[in-house]
């Protein structure tokens, strides 16, 4: 079956520009996560959606970063006024999430990532 | 706070070698523990997991046991293939966030 997909796979932009990164989760997964992986580091949590709402956005580094998931499926991570320090691989993951208050599983399945380069 | 510390690499081994990649964690409560693997040019994949103390996760010849008393989840394997060359991440899940270690790069010589 289809896994988590992310587009674009690579994005090069100039400092100060606006970018959008897209994530398509596994069909039926209600939970969606964004992580950022800098070179030589493990991924770092950014934000978590349960359905359409952001359940935890404590990892977003500042107010230039914003994410939406308007219909509870596809999510877009938006970065305004990009800076060179935003260069990283942005990873999306999904999981079954919660249904009726019972967690099916806490295993997260990751997409291939979007490599963002800010010049 | 919650954190994961793992052995730093890179590590270069022959196919016949035995390896333990050390991983220790700090967390409140009882997190689930994971090893993820990132093969060259591919996304993160779950290798194995354990959800409670003394659970053993295993996959592809790798094993790790959830040791609550030492807050550890060391990854072990007795022999390798060149295709095991990858970056291995120890991780924990707490409050629906995954906290990753920095990763250990493993290179297997034919």
């Amino acid at each position: 079956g289809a896994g988590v997909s992310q587009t674009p796979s690579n994005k090069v932009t100039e400092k100060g520009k606006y970018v959008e990164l897209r994530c398509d989760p596994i069909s039926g997964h209600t939970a969606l996560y964004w992580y950022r992986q800098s070179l030589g580091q493990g991924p770092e949590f950014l934000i978590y959606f349960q359905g359409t709402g952001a359940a935890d956005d404590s990892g977003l580094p500042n107010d230039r970063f914003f994410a939406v998931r308007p219909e509870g499926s596809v999510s877009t991570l938006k970065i305004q006024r990009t800076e060179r320090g935003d260069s990283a691989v942005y990873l999306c993951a999904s999981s079954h999430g919660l249904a009726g208050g019972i967690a099916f599983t806490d295993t997260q399945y990751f997409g291939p990532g979007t490599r963002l380069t800010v010049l | 706070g919650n954190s994961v510390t793992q052995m730093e690499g890179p590590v270069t081994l022959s196919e016949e070698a035995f390896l333990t990649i050390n991983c220790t964690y700090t967390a409140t409560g009882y997190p689930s523990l994971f090893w993820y693997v990132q093969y060259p040019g591919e996304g993160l994949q779950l290798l194995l997991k354990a959800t409670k103390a003394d659970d053993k996760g295993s996959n592809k010849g790798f094993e790790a046991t959830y040791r609550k008393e030492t807050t550890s989840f060391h990854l072990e394997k007795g022999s390798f293939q060149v295709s095991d060359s990858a970056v291995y991440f120890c991780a924990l899940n707490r409050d629906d966030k995954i906290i990753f270690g920095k990763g250990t790069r493993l290179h297997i010589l034919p």
Side-chain angles (χ1 to χ4, degrees), chain A residues 33 35 37 40-45 48 56 58 91 98 105-112, chain B residues 32 34 36 38 42-46 49 51 89 93 95-103:
Chain A
Y33 310 80
Y35 294 83
Q37 186 175 15
Q41 302 293 314
E44 295 179 317
F45 170 81
Y48 152 51
D56 185 343
S58 62
L91 298 171
L98 302 177
T105 175
D106 58 2
T107 298
Q108 298 181 18
Y109 299 87
F110 284 78
Chain B
S32 295
F34 306 84
Y36 278 85
Q38 194 168 36
E42 298 185 18
L44 274 172
Q45 299 177 23
L46 178 66
K49 73 174 189 177
T51 58
F89 292 93
N93 186 323
D95 299 326
D96 292 312
K97 303 174 198 177
I98 295 186
I99 311 291
F100 288 88
K102 291 187 175 182

Side-chain angles (χ1 to χ4, degrees), chain A residues 4 6 23 25 31-35 91-95 108-111:
Chain A
V4 177
Q6 294 185 244
C23 172
L32 184 146
Y33 310 80
W34 285 99
Y35 294 83
L91 298 171
C92 177
S94 69
S95 70
Q108 298 181 18
Y109 299 87
F110 284 78

Side-chain angles (χ1 to χ4, degrees), chain A residues 31-108:
Chain A
L32 184 146
Y33 310 80
W34 285 99
Y35 294 83
R36 179 168 70 174
Q37 186 175 15
S38 300
L39 192 63
Q41 302 293 314
E44 295 179 317
F45 170 81
L46 295 177
I47 186 170
Y48 152 51
F49 288 89
Q50 180 57 45
T52 60
D56 185 343
D57 65 357
S58 62
L60 294 178
N62 52 60
D63 62 4
R64 295 186 298 105
F65 288 75
F66 189 70
V68 296
R69 196 185 184 200
E71 297 178 359
S73 179
V74 170
S75 176
T76 304
L77 178 66
K78 308 180 180 193
I79 310 174
Q80 298 177 320
R81 304 183 304 280
T82 51
E83 299 177 357
R84 292 192 180 90
D86 299 335
S87 297
V89 177
Y90 288 81
L91 298 171
C92 177
S94 69
S95 70
H96 284 101
L98 302 177
I102 300 172
F104 282 96
T105 175
D106 58 2
T107 298
Q108 298 181 18

